[in-house]
Amino acid sequence: MTPSALGLSDKRAPGLIPALLLGLALWLAALPALSAEIKFPTLTGRVVDDAQLLTPEQEQALTGKLASLEQQTGDQLVVVTVSSLQDQEIEDFGYQLGRHWGIGQKENDGGALLIVAPNERKVRIEVGYGLEGVLTDAYSSMIIRDDILPAFRTGDYAAGIIAGTDAVIAQLTADPAEAQARAAEAKSAASEREAPILPALIIFLIFFFLFVSLVGAAAGGKRRRGGKGGDGLTPILIWAASEALKNQGRGGGRGGWGGASGGW
C-alpha cells in the first residue's frame, strides 16, 4: 500500500519510521507510571519474611543482630523477603519500599534494606543516602556476588541472607577509615572487572538510528529530487546517548537512595 493510500504524502513518508520509533520509546518510558499501585508488606519488625525463607530461630537471631547494629551505630537495616515484586524491577520496588517504610533516621538517612525476591530470583541491597559513603554501590554489589549469591544458587536462602546481613553489618560497624578503604577497593575492582558494555550499546544504537534516518532520507530524495533529507530525530538520540554516558557510573541513586542488585 502506498503512503498516499494511507493519507500520507511521499514528502513525509521518510520521517515516519524514526517518528514511530521515538513515539514507541516515549510510550515505553511512561509504562512504569501506568502500572498498578504496589502493595507493600507491613513493617512488622527488623526482619519481614513474607516469602517464608527463614525459620523462627533464624529470624530471631537476625533480629538481635540488627537491633545491636542500631544500638551501636544508629543505622537501621531491615531484611525483607517478598513472594512477588508485582511486575516491578527490584530497583524500583526497593526504592519505593524504603520510602514507604521510612527506613533510617531522619537526621542522617542512615537506613538500608536487604531485599530477596525468590520467585523472580532477584536480590538487592537498597542503601539510604546517609550510608552511601561506606556501603557504596560497588561494595553492595560485592556483598551480593561473594556472600549472598553462592548460597542462593544452591537453594540455601537462609544461609545467603545471614551471610549478606553479616557482611553489611561488618561494613557498617568497621572503623570509618577501614570502611572507606574497603569501599574504595571494591570500586577499583569493579572498574577493572566490568567491560564498557553500556557505551558500546549506546554507540550501536546511534549508528542504527543514523542508518534508519539515512535510508529514509535517501528514499525520500529519490522521490522528490533534491528535497532536504533528515528527520530531526538523530540529534535528539545523540543528546540522549551523551547524557546516558555522563550518568554512567553514578550508581543507582534515586531520590536519596542507591544500592546494587543481583540475580541467580
Side-chain angles (χ1 to χ4, degrees):
M1 183 176 290
T2 65
S4 298
L6 292 172
L8 298 171
S9 68
D10 289 347
K11 185 177 180 180
R12 296 184 181 180
L16 178 60
I17 294 177
L20 289 175
L21 290 172
L22 179 59
L24 177 61
L26 294 174
W27 178 75
L28 290 173
L31 280 180
L34 300 176
S35 60
E37 184 178 355
I38 303 174
K39 296 180 180 179
F40 295 110
T42 303
L43 181 59
T44 54
R46 292 180 170 88
V47 178
V48 180
D49 186 24
D50 273 17
Q52 299 182 348
L53 303 180
L54 303 167
T55 66
E57 293 77 16
Q58 290 167 336
E59 183 174 339
Q60 184 178 3
L62 280 174
T63 298
K65 293 178 182 180
L66 299 175
S68 296
L69 170 68
E70 185 171 354
Q71 291 174 359
Q72 182 178 347
T73 65
D75 301 330
Q76 295 179 341
L77 172 61
V78 175
V79 175
V80 53
T81 72
V82 295
S83 57
S84 173
L85 292 173
Q86 304 172 51
D87 296 323
Q88 300 287 317
E89 295 295 331
I90 195 168
E91 293 81 6
D92 294 329
F93 185 91
Y95 161 64
Q96 295 185 63
L97 180 61
R99 289 176 60 87
H100 178 76
W101 279 354
I103 301 300
Q105 303 292 344
K106 290 184 178 179
E107 58 271 16
N108 62 5
D109 202 10
L113 300 171
L114 172 56
I115 307 167
V116 180
N119 291 326
E120 289 90 350
R121 303 176 71 85
K122 296 290 184 181
V123 58
R124 178 164 179 82
I125 296 175
E126 190 75 34
V127 184
Y129 178 78
L131 299 181
E132 285 188 317
V134 290
L135 196 58
T136 60
D137 295 354
Y139 200 85
S140 298
S141 180
M142 186 187 72
I143 291 174
I144 290 173
R145 184 185 69 249
D146 296 344
D147 298 289
I148 298 176
L149 291 185
F152 279 12
R153 291 189 178 108
T154 66
D156 194 344
Y157 294 115
I161 292 170
I162 293 169
T165 302
D166 288 344
V168 172
I169 291 175
Q171 177 68 352
L172 295 180
T173 56
D175 176 80
E178 181 181 354
Q180 292 282 355
R182 291 176 183 173
E185 184 178 353
K187 183 177 181 180
S188 177
S191 298
E192 294 177 0
R193 183 176 57 253
E194 294 175 355
I197 297 175
L198 180 58
L201 178 60
I202 291 173
I203 291 171
F204 168 78
L205 290 174
I206 289 175
F207 278 101
F208 171 77
F209 283 111
L210 279 172
F211 174 77
V212 171
S213 298
L214 289 173
V215 169
K222 289 180 180 179
R223 283 191 292 267
R224 57 184 184 265
R225 296 294 182 183
K228 291 184 179 180
D231 50 51
L233 179 62
T234 299
I236 298 175
L237 294 168
I238 294 175
W239 170 81
S242 66
E243 288 298 309
L245 283 170
K246 286 192 292 184
N247 289 329
Q248 186 189 17
R250 293 183 182 175
R254 298 167 314 285
W257 289 82
S261 307
W264 67 96

